[in-house]
Amino acid sequence: MRTFLPPRQRTLGPAAPGSFMEAAGGAGAAFLKDIVAYVEVWSSKGTENYSKTFTKQLEDMGATVSKTFNKQVTHVIFKDGYQSTWDKAQKTGAKLVSVLWVEKCRMAGAHVDESLFPAVNTNENLPSLVKRKHKCMQPKDFIPKTPENDKRLQKKFEKMAEELQRQKTALDDGVPILLFESPRSPVCSSTVPVRSHESMMKKRLKEMKEKRENLSPTSSQILQQSQQNPSITLCEASLNVSHQSFSSGVKNGPMRPDTSDSSCTSLVRPQKRPKTHGKEMKPMRTLVMTSMPSEKQELIIQVVNALKGFSFSPEVCESTTHVLVGNVVRTLNVLMGIARGCWILSYEWVLYSLEWGHWISEEPFELSETFPAALICRLERQLSTQQYQGTLFANQPKMFIAPASSPPRAKLCELVRLCGGQVSPAPELASLIIGPYSGKKEERIQYLSEKWVLDSITQHKVCDFKNYQLLQ
């Protein structure tokens, strides 16, 4: 039975828009320069290979990553890998660590003690017949074969060129053959045209015209016959012409029925739609990534595709339940997630879920210290029996969001409404104006910066107007 320690959350000051928290190591730090690592990270079923993401992270921290297990390897990043790799690491004395060690080194900006994050081998006590086999279902990078990078293909081309050159000398003049002006550049000789080509085409056209009379009637033929005899309907005319065509066609062989003409719709039986059985599928919950580095995004996508249960969304919406935060910074998606009562989680939740092979409890990874409102709104949503509606701005007067506000006016209006506030369409009907306003000022109206809305949502309390007054 494996146990794990929840990550220690970092205590940050109030998150402000535009603030950014770098990893302690910083870009370009080479604090793992003395390490030669071998990475073998697979999904629990052995069908997804996640090694590429951790290889890049190790190289960014200065480590050398070996493509093969050799004597120089000092560390093995291991998860659900081959038993032979595990045995070899133990034999050579290389340190076996989990993927969490890589992340902790990146966050700390230093070489972290390997004993805190040992790797676990789930195949160690299994008999050889039961051990999982690894078969990667991911598509490999396609490199097309060319004579430049494939010796066998180059020899084939050279052999073909020699054979064609030999045939060229053996054939009579005027016969079109395939030539090679330069290596691997086939061209066709442009000499004698085929004499019988024109006569064959004329013969082919004549045959097509003769067979034309055996085709099914067109709409113009049906219309002509109905005009000659008004007592005959379009359907009857169609059947008469078809009968004539059929009688002449018996002599010449079977014909294909013409289904393109639909003038007689009563003869066509409408196709019934298949009945759907069972209840409709519920919309899948969505997950949003925000301020997430690209290499982490790739790993998250792989893990979600393997563990299932989520679809991705670029922005927080009604179906969003989880918001994954990369660099701990207050973004619009974080605020939308708080207002909707979503889980606001650190990236480590995905790493621990990867280690266990299933989605684990979110509570140890909730960023409640950085965003105090996240825990409160999330609990309110879970306790709500209907669609969740916040009440933070429920007792505040009507607000008018200025068109020049930042974040955009539409997003600020959505945030205010999600928190129970009222948005006025005109400034004359409001008692609060949020954002830069160039119109005529009135004493009865409070003019506040957009930061008042953002800070109030982050702290889950209505902040004092005095600290957010805009200059009159």
Side-chain angles (χ1 to χ4, degrees):
M1 188 73 180
R2 288 187 287 178
T3 59
F4 69 91
L5 297 174
R8 185 178 298 171
Q9 296 178 1
R10 292 169 290 171
T11 304
L12 305 177
S19 64
F20 187 81
M21 186 107 183
E22 295 277 359
F31 46 86
L32 298 183
K33 60 183 179 180
D34 298 328
I35 288 177
V36 179
Y38 177 72
V39 184
E40 197 167 283
V41 181
W42 288 78
S43 64
S44 56
K45 293 183 179 180
T47 56
E48 299 286 338
N49 192 340
Y50 305 133
S51 303
K52 188 176 180 180
T53 300
F54 297 101
T55 298
K56 187 178 185 307
Q57 291 182 4
L58 287 165
E59 290 174 344
D60 291 342
M61 292 183 284
T64 302
V65 180
S66 175
K67 293 184 178 180
T68 59
F69 199 132
N70 50 51
K71 294 180 179 179
Q72 285 73 36
V73 171
T74 60
H75 290 67
V76 177
I77 290 78
F78 187 90
K79 182 196 173 298
D80 291 314
Y82 293 95
Q83 181 64 38
S84 58
T85 303
W86 180 273
D87 295 339
K88 194 170 183 179
Q90 288 187 326
K91 185 178 180 180
T92 59
K95 295 181 179 180
L96 286 155
V97 294
S98 70
V99 296
L100 301 172
W101 177 78
V102 179
E103 177 65 11
K104 282 297 180 181
C105 288
R106 193 192 69 83
M107 296 301 296
H111 188 154
V112 178
D113 185 6
E114 293 86 355
S115 62
L116 299 175
F117 302 96
V120 177
N121 184 15
T122 55
N123 288 336
E124 192 170 19
N125 297 322
L126 294 176
S128 58
L129 294 175
V130 184
K131 291 177 182 177
R132 290 189 295 270
K133 295 182 179 180
H134 297 75
K135 185 178 181 181
C136 187
M137 306 300 290
Q138 297 168 316
K140 295 182 178 178
D141 295 335
F142 175 71
I143 302 175
K145 290 184 178 180
T146 61
E148 286 80 6
N149 61 19
D150 191 283
K151 291 183 179 180
R152 293 181 64 185
L153 192 59
Q154 187 176 4
K155 289 182 180 179
K156 278 188 177 182
F157 268 101
E158 292 173 355
K159 191 174 181 180
M160 287 173 61
E162 292 175 2
E163 180 68 19
L164 288 170
Q165 188 65 29
R166 186 184 62 79
Q167 291 179 7
K168 180 184 176 183
T169 56
L171 290 172
D172 295 330
D173 295 334
V175 181
I177 59 173
L178 191 65
L179 302 177
F180 277 78
E181 290 184 349
S182 62
R184 302 174 298 278
S185 300
V187 294
C188 186
S189 65
S190 58
T191 56
V192 183
V194 181
R195 296 177 182 177
S196 60
H197 179 72
E198 186 177 353
S199 59
M200 287 176 63
M201 290 297 295
K202 288 182 179 180
K203 185 178 179 182
R204 177 64 179 157
L205 287 170
K206 186 178 179 181
E207 290 178 356
M208 291 174 66
K209 287 180 180 179
E210 290 175 354
K211 291 182 179 180
R212 177 67 181 173
E213 61 184 13
N214 297 329
L215 298 176
S216 299
T218 62
S219 58
S220 59
Q221 289 175 327
I222 297 171
L223 185 60
Q224 183 180 0
Q225 194 181 74
S226 64
Q227 288 175 352
Q228 292 174 357
N229 191 351
S231 61
I232 300 177
T233 62
L234 288 177
C235 270
E236 291 171 346
S238 174
L239 293 173
N240 289 339
V241 179
S242 298
H243 177 69
Q244 294 170 8
S245 300
F246 174 74
S247 60
S248 60
V250 171
K251 301 174 183 178
N252 299 315
M255 303 178 301
R256 290 186 179 181
D258 184 11
T259 59
S260 61
D261 191 34
S262 57
S263 57
C264 189
T265 56
S266 61
L267 298 178
V268 182
R269 182 176 297 175
Q271 187 175 1
K272 296 181 180 180
R273 294 183 179 179
K275 295 182 179 180
T276 56
H277 299 282
K279 298 181 180 179
E280 294 183 359
M281 293 289 291
K282 293 183 179 179
M284 183 179 287
R285 55 183 183 170
T286 57
L287 181 147
V288 173
M289 295 181 284
T290 182
S291 64
M292 189 71 67
S294 57
E295 66 272 8
K296 291 185 177 181
Q297 290 184 29
E298 294 175 3
L299 178 66
I300 293 171
I301 292 171
Q302 285 183 312
V303 174
V304 169
N305 289 339
L307 302 184
K308 311 297 182 185
F310 290 99
S311 61
F312 288 98
S313 175
E315 296 181 349
V316 175
C317 57
E318 291 183 4
S319 61
T320 303
T321 56
H322 293 64
V323 177
L324 289 178
V325 182
N327 301 306
V328 182
V329 54
R330 186 173 68 184
T331 64
L332 194 56
N333 272 325
V334 168
L335 292 170
M336 286 290 183
I338 292 173
R340 290 190 179 274
C342 303
W343 287 99
I344 311 296
L345 303 172
S346 68
Y347 166 72
E348 291 174 327
W349 176 64
V350 177
L351 291 181
Y352 276 93
S353 297
L354 171 62
E355 277 288 305
W356 281 81
H358 60 83
W359 297 116
I360 62 174
S361 174
E362 298 93 340
E363 290 184 10
F365 309 92
E366 192 170 20
L367 298 175
S368 55
E369 292 186 17
T370 309
F371 307 108
L375 174 62
I376 300 171
C377 294
R378 191 258 305 167
L379 291 174
E380 288 178 352
R381 175 176 176 171
Q382 290 179 346
L383 295 174
S384 177
T385 56
Q386 299 177 348
Q387 186 175 2
Y388 174 65
Q389 173 65 61
T391 58
L392 179 64
F393 297 136
N395 297 325
Q396 297 304 307
K398 280 189 177 182
M399 307 178 201
F400 174 77
I401 310 298
S405 60
S406 178
R409 183 176 188 271
K411 293 296 182 183
L412 273 179
C413 289
E414 185 179 356
L415 279 172
V416 170
R417 291 192 181 102
L418 286 172
C419 295
Q422 301 178 62
V423 178
S424 173
E428 297 82 10
L429 304 176
S431 299
L432 292 175
I433 293 183
I434 310 298
Y437 181 69
S438 58
K440 185 180 179 181
K441 304 292 195 298
E442 297 183 28
E443 292 184 2
R444 67 175 185 84
I445 298 178
Q446 296 279 354
Y447 298 90
L448 306 177
S449 71
E450 305 93 325
K451 197 170 181 290
W452 174 77
V453 176
L454 307 180
D455 288 353
S456 297
I457 295 174
T458 304
Q459 301 172 31
H460 199 67
K461 69 175 183 180
V462 178
C463 297
D464 192 352
F465 293 164
K466 294 179 181 179
N467 300 326
Y468 302 91
Q469 293 281 353
L470 292 178
L471 296 176
Q472 298 292 332

